[in-house]
């Protein structure tokens, strides 16, 4: 028994995110929505894991449960060995959403600086240098004094990524971050994200509707099925991004893409 507890503690400490048997039901009786059903998944530190599935299969609900925005109806979640509530209080997740949600009356640099100020992360004297470093990281060194309306959609998402990284989160939660971008900008952002992840390794949980995006970016892909939302399959990407990205025409990539398509449409 004691061994079991110790084994579990060791396992929990080595996982960034550990979701065990999590179910989520909204409402009660006949109108209840069974959004998540006995979900099991884990993410190792530094791993890039995507969640894909049709609209309504519970992707955002799962993210909300993990980040303490929503208590699951049953099951256990631990984040770096802590409950989501403890983790959020102690460390904070980095968030990037589809809408960059920048304050329009503040410049790119001020938006990043404000996030640092609110999280009381870096000492005030160091904040300006940190903002410059982050703008460099997302390749916007010359745009720090521009307002969101003066930036393209891709640039706004770069600011949003810099803002999320400003308080050095261990875990980045990305919910359809490139969903509103055109295909060219989206691909450019994929390579940017791969580069940023290589320069500043952190754990990423990434929600997307795009199978090709998931395959291009991830180490593993969790495929959710809908009604109720459950894990249908977890796929290890054969040639994951640290090896320098995958050509979109690579045969392994195309085979895994077809496998994912089949899983989602069967
Ligand atoms: N607060 C809520 N109250 C009631 N039902 C909810 C609530 N939030 C989500 N749901 C329901 O739970 C299910 C899962 O929703 P969720 O938003 O997690 O799906 P999703 O996979 O993120 O969808 P999409 O890809 O369209 O963003 C849906 O049927 C949705 O209507």
């Amino acid at each position: 028994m004691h061994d079991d507890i110790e084994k579990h503690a060791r396992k929990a400490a080595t996982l960034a995110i550990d979701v065990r048997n999590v179910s989520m039901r909204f409402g009660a009786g006949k109108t209840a929505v069974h959004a998540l059903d006995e979900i099991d998944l884990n993410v190792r530190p530094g791993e890039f894991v995507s969640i894909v599935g049709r609209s309504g299969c519970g992707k955002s609900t799962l993210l909300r449960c993990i980040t303490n925005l929503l208590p699951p109806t049953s099951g256990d979640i631990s984040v770096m060995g802590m409950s989501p509530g403890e983790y959020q209080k102690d460390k904070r997740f980095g968030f990037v959403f589809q809408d960059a949600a920048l304050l329009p009356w503040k410049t790119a640099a001020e938006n990043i600086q404000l996030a640092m100020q609110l999280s009381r992360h870096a000492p005030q004297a160091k904040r300006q240098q940190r903002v410059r470093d982050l703008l460099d990281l997302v390749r916007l060194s010359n745009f720090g004094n521009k307002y969101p309306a003066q930036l393209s959609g891709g640039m706004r998402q770069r600011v949003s990524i810099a803002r999320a990284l400003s308080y050095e989160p261990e875990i980045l939660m990305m919910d359809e971050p490139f969903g509103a971008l055109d295909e060219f900008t989206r691909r450019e952002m994929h390579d940017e994200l791969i580069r940023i992840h290589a320069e500043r390794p952190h754990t990423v949980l990434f929600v997307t509707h795009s199978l090709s995006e998931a395959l291009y970016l991830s180490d593993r892909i969790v495929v959710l099925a809908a009604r109720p939302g459950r894990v249908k399959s977890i796929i290890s990407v054969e040639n994951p991004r640290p090896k320098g990205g995958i050509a979109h025409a690579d045969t392994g990539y195309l085979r895994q893409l077809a496998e994912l398509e089949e899983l989602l449409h069967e």
Side-chain angles (χ1 to χ4, degrees):
M1 181 68 184
H2 183 68
D3 278 352
D4 277 350
I5 294 171
E6 238 182 52
K7 205 166 121 195
H8 180 69
R10 268 202 309 277
K11 183 169 173 256
T14 58
L15 291 173
I17 299 170
D18 192 9
V19 175
R20 271 167 282 130
N21 213 15
V22 163
S23 295
M24 181 70 211
R25 205 179 268 275
F26 292 106
K30 280 188 181 161
T31 56
V33 178
H34 198 172
L36 299 174
D37 184 39
E38 298 183 354
I39 301 280
D40 275 311
L41 75 92
N42 58 61
V43 184
R44 293 183 285 273
E47 203 178 15
F48 196 125
V49 172
S50 288
I51 302 176
V52 299
R54 289 171 177 224
S55 189
C57 70
K59 302 182 289 298
S60 300
T61 301
L62 182 57
L63 240 62
R64 288 164 71 203
C65 289
I66 294 171
T67 53
N68 195 42
L69 293 171
L70 201 62
T73 313
S74 60
D76 286 307
I77 300 178
S78 79
V79 183
M80 304 299 287
M82 295 178 233
S83 73
E86 286 167 340
Y87 184 80
Q88 180 67 348
K89 224 185 279 166
D90 191 45
K91 306 270 184 135
R92 301 193 68 199
F93 294 92
F95 286 103
V96 184
F97 299 106
Q98 181 167 336
D99 177 359
L102 303 174
L103 296 176
W105 60 89
K106 292 212 175 273
T107 64
E110 287 166 350
N111 266 283
I112 300 168
Q113 190 158 357
L114 182 67
M116 262 189 249
Q117 222 167 301
L118 293 176
S119 68
R120 297 202 183 91
H121 190 72
Q124 201 166 358
K126 293 202 169 157
R127 278 185 203 143
Q128 283 195 346
Q129 183 55 48
R130 296 257 342 256
V131 170
R132 278 196 291 274
D133 291 346
L134 285 160
L135 285 167
D136 267 356
L137 180 73
V138 297
R139 298 191 209 256
L140 286 179
S141 323
N142 296 327
F143 294 87
N145 60 354
K146 299 284 184 215
Y147 289 89
Q150 297 172 300
L151 301 172
S152 69
M155 286 169 160
R156 284 199 288 272
Q157 273 317 46
R158 286 169 198 253
V159 178
S160 161
I161 292 171
R163 181 182 55 187
L165 295 175
S166 68
Y167 40 89
E168 296 183 336
E170 298 161 316
I171 304 176
L172 205 50
M173 307 298 264
M174 306 185 88
D175 195 351
E176 280 281 323
F178 308 136
L181 303 178
D182 66 79
E183 186 61 22
F184 294 110
T185 312
R186 200 172 172 139
R187 287 194 182 188
E188 203 177 283
M189 290 304 295
H190 293 161
D191 291 330
E192 285 296 296
L193 189 54
I194 288 171
R195 181 184 58 78
I196 290 167
H197 190 258
E199 273 183 45
R200 302 218 176 170
H202 39 259
T203 309
V204 183
L205 194 55
F206 189 97
V207 166
T208 178
H209 283 115
S210 163
L211 301 180
S212 58
E213 177 168 87
L215 204 49
Y216 194 70
L217 294 172
S218 319
D219 296 306
R220 284 189 299 146
I221 301 173
V222 179
V223 182
L224 291 188
R227 291 188 184 79
R230 60 195 191 283
V231 175
K232 193 166 189 184
S233 185
I234 298 181
I235 290 190
S236 290
V237 177
E238 279 171 18
N239 184 16
R241 93 238 81 67
K243 290 175 189 146
I246 330 151
H248 282 101
D250 181 272
T251 45
Y253 171 88
L254 291 173
R255 186 174 37 71
Q256 286 206 295
L257 191 58
E259 193 185 329
L260 281 166
E261 290 276 1
E262 208 166 300
L263 272 169
L264 276 184
H265 293 104
E266 68 190 14

